[in-house]
Amino acid sequence: MHKEIIVDIHNDQVRVALLEDGDLAELYFDDEENRRVVGNIYRGKVANVLPGMQAAFVDIGLSKNAFLYLGDIDTKSSVFEFTDRSNGVEGRIKNSAISQIREGQEITVQVLKEPIGTKGARVTTNITLPGRYLVLMPNVNYVGISRRIEDDAERERLKAIAEEIKPEDMGLIVRTAARGKEKEDFLYDVALLCRLWKRIESIENMVKPPQVLHKDESLVYRAVRDIFTQDVDRFVINDESQYRRVLELVEAISPNLLDRVYYFQEDVDIFEYYGINKKIEKAIQKKVWLKNGGYIVIDYTEALTAIDVNTGKFVGGHNLEDTVLKTNLEAAEEIAHQIRLRDIGGIIIIDFIDMELPEHREMVVKVLEEALKKDRTKTHVVGITGLGLVEMTRKKERNRLSATLLKPCPYCNGTGKVYSENMIIANIEKKLEDFFKNNDVWGAIVEVHPSIGKAWMEDNGKNIELLENTWNKKIFITANPNMHIEQVNIKQVNGQAEVEGILLEYADNVIGR
């Protein structure tokens, strides 16, 4: 598989795209509106404690207070002093954790999840500092290995190295990128992360909360650290100063990748050059076409994401079951790709086309699970429900792509639909009745969208004539293609001469009476 990382830097906005065989696989933004806070460490102040919810809200300086859940509280004595440790039962210690927190208490936390919608950020007192190959955990004392490293012998080898270089009374997690690396490759990470933690500790009790103690690295740095691995063929960036910075970073952490970094000097939009802009437009559409003519539909709700699979234009060859299977198999791969690209998190329900044979259902789920292995974010396929729906979950850390790029329509309030012509006309007629009731006028000019005017004039404008006769007024309709379909402007006129003068302004847009 050919992989490329394309970085577009324009003024204050940074965009990073990961291409796999030319397809857009992952997309990241960093600008004033989409500034990442996951990974940031704050000195905050407890705003209020909710024992019934086993949680607390912490003021860390963001627009909404952060949410600290019981399970995200470190019970290490250096973080909190717990009074009841006599029985040695960790669960009971944690159950007393919320009661040990008080309003106004200063506390150091790290953001686990971005603020999403009406919810504030989710935070933890379990601090982690990621490096290229390792993650330092200052408040725990154990070694962990990435689950994506599946070879038992390699896991044992890496664990032995990590145990040897682990700082005293601290923990390490060995990241997936460490596969095949030696002890010398990890020493830079350990030294850098330990220096960073000492700096955070040195200012922790000196600042007045809420205050940021450490911001996670820039998007460009994270792209180098987390995405630019041995299987990436090219790293292309269009900013000369950042290009030099990338070279310095790569030389420090992966010098063997230096010859894969390129400076894009063309005088065109780099995303346009690589066809990424068109791919982004497709990534926010509700319907996604499959290569065989089938399609999937992705719908978002507050609680979950629903994905529906349809055969569409694909009619298959020999029999229905074969057609359904082929569509579902292709859909399974595309769904995994879309989930990763759109950064869909939380509960996901997939309605594949009904399959009669159990082995076909198992085959589709297996293809889905295999395709999801490309996703660096944790996913879990629960299985098929009694109704034949596939349930899965994906860790939610930030807003999905559509929520980042789009905002609710001010006309439809996010429903994606507008009133029908008949409903709009009925509303206009009610407004006209109120207008005539409250104003002593000769008549009115009604400005509407052309489609509304056309629908209103059906049956020779019978409804308009009825209104005129009822109120003994004159009504003239004009069309404005620049208006929203639900919009209406009503102007009063006080005589035939006045209306003729006004209608001259509309010229060819007069469509009625």
Side-chain angles (χ1 to χ4, degrees), residues 429-447:
E429 289 175 351
K430 289 176 183 176
K431 288 182 179 180
L432 268 175
E433 289 177 354
D434 289 339
F435 180 77
F436 290 144
K437 189 186 299 182
N438 298 314
N439 296 278
D440 183 17
V441 296
W442 178 80
I445 293 177
V446 184
E447 185 181 22

Side-chain angles (χ1 to χ4, degrees), residues 5-66:
I5 296 172
I6 311 300
V7 182
D8 173 36
I9 298 178
H10 179 70
N11 296 333
D12 194 40
Q13 185 186 64
V14 181
R15 300 187 294 175
V16 175
L18 174 63
L19 301 180
E20 293 180 350
D21 288 336
D23 288 331
L24 183 60
E26 295 178 16
L27 184 66
Y28 303 93
F29 289 83
D30 191 2
D31 55 30
E32 284 299 325
E33 281 191 28
N34 303 295
R35 195 70 75 200
R36 172 186 162 108
V37 297
V38 166
N40 289 1
I41 300 174
Y42 296 86
R43 188 65 173 173
K45 181 179 286 189
V46 177
N48 54 323
V49 181
L50 306 173
M53 291 181 62
Q54 294 289 281
F57 286 95
V58 184
D59 179 10
I60 59 174
L62 301 181
S63 59
K64 298 184 182 72
N65 287 341

Side-chain angles (χ1 to χ4, degrees), residues 232-255:
V232 175
D233 300 281
R234 286 163 56 91
F235 187 109
V236 187
I237 186 168
N238 65 347
D239 183 275
E240 188 173 5
S241 63
Q242 287 294 325
Y243 165 70
R244 294 196 189 99
R245 173 65 176 147
V246 169
L247 289 177
E248 293 174 3
L249 292 171
V250 174
E251 188 170 18
I253 60 180
S254 295

Side-chain angles (χ1 to χ4, degrees), residues 84-122:
D84 182 17
R85 288 183 177 269
S86 57
N87 56 19
V89 180
E90 183 72 7
R92 293 186 181 179
I93 293 174
K94 283 206 166 187
N95 284 336
S96 68
I98 289 297
S99 64
Q100 300 292 323
I101 300 177
R102 63 186 185 279
E103 290 186 13
Q105 178 179 353
E106 295 184 6
I107 182 175
T108 298
V109 293
Q110 184 174 34
V111 177
L112 286 176
K113 291 182 180 179
E114 299 277 350
I116 298 176
T118 59
K119 299 177 181 177
R122 181 170 173 176

Side-chain angles (χ1 to χ4, degrees), residues 391-461:
E391 290 181 344
M392 66 168 288
T393 61
R394 185 175 186 267
K395 187 177 179 182
K396 183 187 292 185
E397 289 186 351
R398 59 176 183 156
N399 277 317
R400 60 179 180 268
L401 184 64
S402 60
T404 301
L405 298 180
L406 306 175
K407 67 177 184 179
C409 171
Y411 298 104
C412 70
N413 293 319
T415 65
K417 299 182 184 297
V418 293
Y419 282 116
S420 66
E421 282 88 349
N422 288 340
M423 279 294 297
I424 294 170
I425 290 169
N427 288 335
I428 293 173
E429 289 175 351
K430 289 176 183 176
K431 288 182 179 180
L432 268 175
E433 289 177 354
D434 289 339
F435 180 77
F436 290 144
K437 189 186 299 182
N438 298 314
N439 296 278
D440 183 17
V441 296
W442 178 80
I445 293 177
V446 184
E447 185 181 22
V448 295
H449 187 273
S451 64
I452 299 302
K454 182 179 178 182
W456 207 3
M457 287 302 297
E458 288 181 358
D459 294 332
N460 294 318

